[in-house]
Amino acid sequence: MFKKILYPTDLSDVSLKALDFLKQLRECGSEEVLVLHVIPEQTILTLRAYGEGTVNVDEFETGLMEKATKSVAEVEAELKKFGYKVKKMINTGFPLREILTTEQEEDISLIVIGSHGKSNLEEMFLGSVSEKVIRKCKSPVLVIKR
Ligand code: ATP
Ligand code: MN
């Protein structure tokens, strides 16, 4: 039923909790996971505008990409252990836009997303990315609670 899953992850603890449920979905017949990590372009733009002279923005960006590449590879290895076919994407951009574009471009049957991410503010019912994804995407969404 949920053959091809889009799993957008910011690599936060809440988001990585999804792996347990992805394992169960595999046991229910899901076949493929598209792991999407978005490096927030806004962070880079803000640093370029305000941080120049205090941080080396290029080095910072390279560091983010290296760290993300390593962590996404770990997620991929885990999903492969469950028996999934895995496709990885690390994009620089605006998380919501990248998630929705990827949903449109791929033949997605389910989105698995964390209720919260790196900010994980106690008083928030949902994070801003998960809230907008749920509102704007076409596929059914499985929200993994913190
Ligand atoms: P906020 O970002 O609004 O301060 P938050 O970080 O707690 O709050 P979200 O960013 O909405 O919450 O994260 C919810 C879920 O959205 C994450 O668990 C993850 O599945 C997805 N997500 C968030 N950011 C990204 C990203 N940069 N790349 C891929 N997926 C993301
Ligand atoms: Mn966030």
Side-chain angles (χ1 to χ4, degrees):
M1 186 184 181
F2 298 129
K3 232 170 136 181
K4 186 167 174 184
I5 298 170
L6 173 59
Y7 171 42
T9 177
D10 62 352
L11 303 162
S12 61
D13 289 346
V14 182
S15 176
L16 292 173
K17 259 182 83 181
L19 288 168
D20 285 344
F21 296 93
L22 286 165
K23 184 167 188 259
Q24 293 177 51
L25 281 161
R26 171 75 192 129
E27 286 155 9
C28 298
S30 294
E31 291 172 6
E32 182 173 358
V33 180
L34 205 165
V35 184
L36 169 64
H37 176 69
V38 185
I39 295 182
E41 196 172 332
Q42 194 56 57
T43 307
I44 314 287
L45 293 176
T46 305
L47 282 177
R48 288 212 190 282
Y50 301 102
E52 212 68 73
T54 55
V55 252
N56 182 324
V57 185
D58 290 337
E59 265 176 28
F60 178 81
E61 201 176 347
T62 310
L64 281 184
M65 183 55 88
E66 278 172 4
K67 209 163 154 241
T69 305
K70 194 165 163 273
S71 304
V72 169
E74 283 166 15
V75 169
E76 177 190 30
E78 192 73 8
L79 290 169
K80 282 193 166 162
K81 257 198 266 166
F82 304 157
Y84 276 114
K85 182 176 169 209
V86 182
K87 183 169 167 187
K88 294 176 287 188
M89 292 173 78
I90 301 177
N91 296 357
T92 301
F94 293 85
L96 175 71
R97 193 188 298 161
E98 293 299 319
I99 294 166
L100 294 177
T101 305
T102 307
E103 187 207 17
Q104 280 167 19
E105 286 172 357
E106 305 278 339
D107 188 21
I108 298 300
S109 39
L110 175 72
I111 297 179
V112 175
I113 200 165
S115 61
H116 301 81
K118 289 246 174 200
S119 306
N120 200 6
L121 296 177
E122 202 179 332
E123 67 274 18
M124 295 295 282
F125 173 59
L126 283 170
S128 61
V129 176
S130 46
E131 197 228 305
K132 293 196 192 83
V133 169
I134 293 164
R135 276 184 19 221
K136 292 178 190 275
C137 71
K138 295 203 170 57
S139 317
V141 183
L142 175 63
V143 179
I144 307 304
K145 295 173 75 173
R146 60 184 166 193

